Each structure stands twice: as C-alpha cells, then as structure tokens.
Amino acid sequence: MHVVAEPCSGCKYTDCVVVCPVECFYEGEKMLYIHPEECIDCEACVPECPVEAIFHEDNLPEEWKNYIEINAIESEKC
Ligand code: SF4
C-alpha cells in the first residue's frame, strides 16, 4: 500500500486525489490519508504530489514510518 507522509501536512493539494482510480484518499483536517485496504498500488498518485509526500510503505523514510499507522487510523475517521 501507499502512504501519505508528513510533507502533506498543511499542503492538501488534491492532484493525487484526482488521479486515484479507486478513490482511496480521505481528507483530514491537516492532510490527506490513503486507506490501506483500498489502495491497489497503481503508483498514479506518486508523481502528481507536488511535495513528494506519497511513498510505498516499503520506501517510507525511517522518520515517517509512523505514518503507516496514522494513515490507517485517520482514513477510517474521514
Ligand atoms: Fe490510489 Fe494508486 Fe495512489 Fe494507491 S497508489 S493511493 S490506488 S493512486
């Protein structure tokens, strides 16, 4: 699955949302989140993000590993 990390915070461009074929982005108060069970790993959103906030979970920089859990929890709330 793909994960939205910290650079998205306060950004909320929705270029990624528009290209997602399964509509698995959810908009929170501060940033966007990807629902882990809905993402099909198509990669379409990655080049669209202007702040490079979207990563495959395996490529997430170490300091943002906690965003795997944050995306899972927050995408359920939205
Ligand atoms: Fe949507 Fe594809 Fe991005 Fe997953 S990788 S969030 S399915 S655009």
Side-chain angles (χ1 to χ4, degrees), residues 21-45:
V22 293
E23 297 181 6
C24 64
F25 279 94
Y26 293 84
E27 193 172 337
E29 226 164 85
K30 280 197 244 148
M31 58 180 275
L32 299 167
Y33 305 101
I34 293 173
H35 194 294
E37 281 157 31
E38 296 174 7
C39 174
I40 57 169
D41 287 337
C42 74
E43 297 267 323
C45 58

Side-chain angles (χ1 to χ4, degrees), residues 21-74:
V22 293
E23 297 181 6
C24 64
F25 279 94
Y26 293 84
E27 193 172 337
E29 226 164 85
K30 280 197 244 148
M31 58 180 275
L32 299 167
Y33 305 101
I34 293 173
H35 194 294
E37 281 157 31
E38 296 174 7
C39 174
I40 57 169
D41 287 337
C42 74
E43 297 267 323
C45 58
V46 177
E48 297 300 322
C49 177
V51 292
E52 294 183 30
I54 306 172
F55 299 86
H56 187 278
E57 60 179 318
D58 295 343
N59 299 331
L60 252 185
E62 200 54 43
E63 72 263 37
W64 294 332
K65 290 278 187 207
N66 58 327
Y67 277 85
I68 293 175
E69 198 182 350
I70 292 172
N71 277 246
I73 293 170
E74 297 297 329

